[in-house]
Amino acid sequence: MDTMAGTVAIVSGAASPRGIGRATAELLVSRGAKVIIADVLDDLGKALASQLGDNAHFIHLDVTREGDWADLLARASSYFGDPNALVNCAGIDTDGTIESTTLKEYGQVVAVCQTGIWLGIRTLAPALRAAGGGSIVNISSVAGAVGQASLGSYTAAKWAVRGITRQAATELADDNIRVNAVLPGFIDTMMGGKGAGLREKLRSTKSACGASVPMGRVGEASEVAKLIAFLISDESSYCTGADFVVDGGLLAGPLAEAADWS
Ligand code: NAD
């Protein structure tokens, strides 16, 4: 079912073996879109592009480098024509309190999660305008909606993503370019599943994490990808400048059993 034929999307952070970007690239191609897989992981990116076939192509991109974005736009346009969709999905995180995080660590996360998105919009907006309009989806996080302790600068950067999203939406609406933010909760990916294993943690009802997800499970990358595809498609034609949460109810409030008032 080629419901997204005519879509030419750039997806940053799409090469990770089981990430949200990869799931998005797979879903978009399965719906008939053409996708540029953009990442620092060259071997994995090339392998994914070859797995997805002629409608996918890998281009190296470090989202923190302005020159990489310019090069990506030139090469993507010559490959598939002017892009009309951008998914800013690349991200890194670190652990650490405000006091234990170094200035260097703080800057690294901000560079990828915040400045990288700004550079992407700044570089791609003229191309989307030339294409007659399009859709930009910026991946924030539930950490961009609450204060989440011990995440280094991740919380600050993910809040900033929602600000950039609103500014871009208001600046680009006249050009028929919509810009929205997606706030995933705990998702089973390379980032989300690191350390002791988020899936195992969440299965333990005794853990703080497990007790905080009303639906009682982690999310799958494919569940976030379906929301991203909706925001790229015309199905969301009147949505811009908004936050879309996909978190199993995490931000809705505590579980009934956690909120024991007796
Ligand atoms: P992941 O680690 O599987 O994927 C992140 C991807 O970003 C990787 O492919 C990595 O190579 C790429 N990347 C990192 N630095 C880059 C750079 N400088 N330039 C280009 N690419 C770079 O993690 P994920 O969970 O799929 O994360 C995707 C997005 O979702 C991130 O923005 C993350 O912050 C966000 N998010 C994830 C969760 C979760 O629980 N997994 C929750 C909320 C938000």
Side-chain angles (χ1 to χ4, degrees):
M1 198 169 53
D2 289 355
T3 53
M4 297 188 79
T7 297
V8 177
I10 289 166
V11 183
S12 77
S16 169
R18 55 189 180 96
I20 293 167
R22 168 180 288 250
T24 302
E26 289 172 344
L27 181 61
L28 296 183
V29 168
S30 77
R31 293 184 179 177
K34 294 182 169 56
V35 174
I36 298 291
I37 296 155
D39 206 300
V40 287
L41 303 174
D42 294 348
D43 291 346
L44 287 165
K46 284 177 194 163
L48 177 61
S50 112
Q51 178 198 314
L52 294 180
D54 290 345
N55 280 352
H57 184 64
F58 173 77
I59 298 176
H60 177 90
L61 171 75
D62 179 339
V63 296
T64 67
R65 299 174 72 93
E66 191 170 12
D68 277 17
W69 276 108
D71 183 51
L72 173 120
L73 175 57
R75 291 176 59 198
S77 297
S78 69
Y79 210 83
F80 286 142
D82 276 334
N84 52 20
L86 168 64
V87 182
N88 280 310
C89 195
I92 56 171
D93 65 352
T94 53
D95 296 331
T97 64
I98 289 174
E99 289 171 86
S100 68
T101 299
T102 65
L103 181 58
K104 187 176 174 196
E105 289 165 341
Y106 190 92
Q108 283 168 339
V109 174
V110 167
V112 176
C113 294
Q114 178 180 336
T115 313
I117 286 181
W118 175 75
L119 276 174
I121 297 172
R122 190 168 182 274
T123 309
L124 268 293
L128 269 65
R129 191 178 293 120
S135 174
I136 297 172
V137 180
N138 300 323
I139 309 305
S140 175
S141 165
V142 291
V146 294
Q148 211 165 335
S150 301
L151 280 182
S153 54
Y154 188 79
T155 303
K158 291 299 185 180
W159 272 87
V161 172
R162 297 173 60 209
I164 294 168
T165 299
R166 282 157 175 74
Q167 180 177 358
T170 52
E171 290 178 359
L172 299 174
D174 272 354
D175 297 315
N176 194 31
I177 299 170
R178 299 182 293 106
V179 191
N180 290 289
V182 165
L183 282 64
F186 299 125
I187 310 299
D188 186 16
T189 66
M190 297 303 282
M191 180 188 290
K194 70 182 184 183
L198 181 61
R199 188 187 285 264
E200 290 312 310
K201 261 201 225 166
L202 288 172
R203 281 191 177 143
S204 161
T205 51
K206 289 189 176 59
S207 78
C209 276
S212 63
V213 180
M215 285 183 70
R217 65 174 177 86
V218 294
E220 301 295 335
S222 60
E223 294 177 293
V224 183
K226 282 185 263 188
L227 174 57
I228 295 169
F230 165 74
L231 291 170
I232 287 175
S233 78
D234 287 343
E235 298 293 313
S236 58
S237 54
Y238 198 52
C239 302
T240 197
D243 298 324
F244 291 81
V245 177
V246 48
D247 71 346
L250 185 62
L251 289 182
L255 286 172
E257 56 262 38
D260 182 0
W261 304 111
S262 60

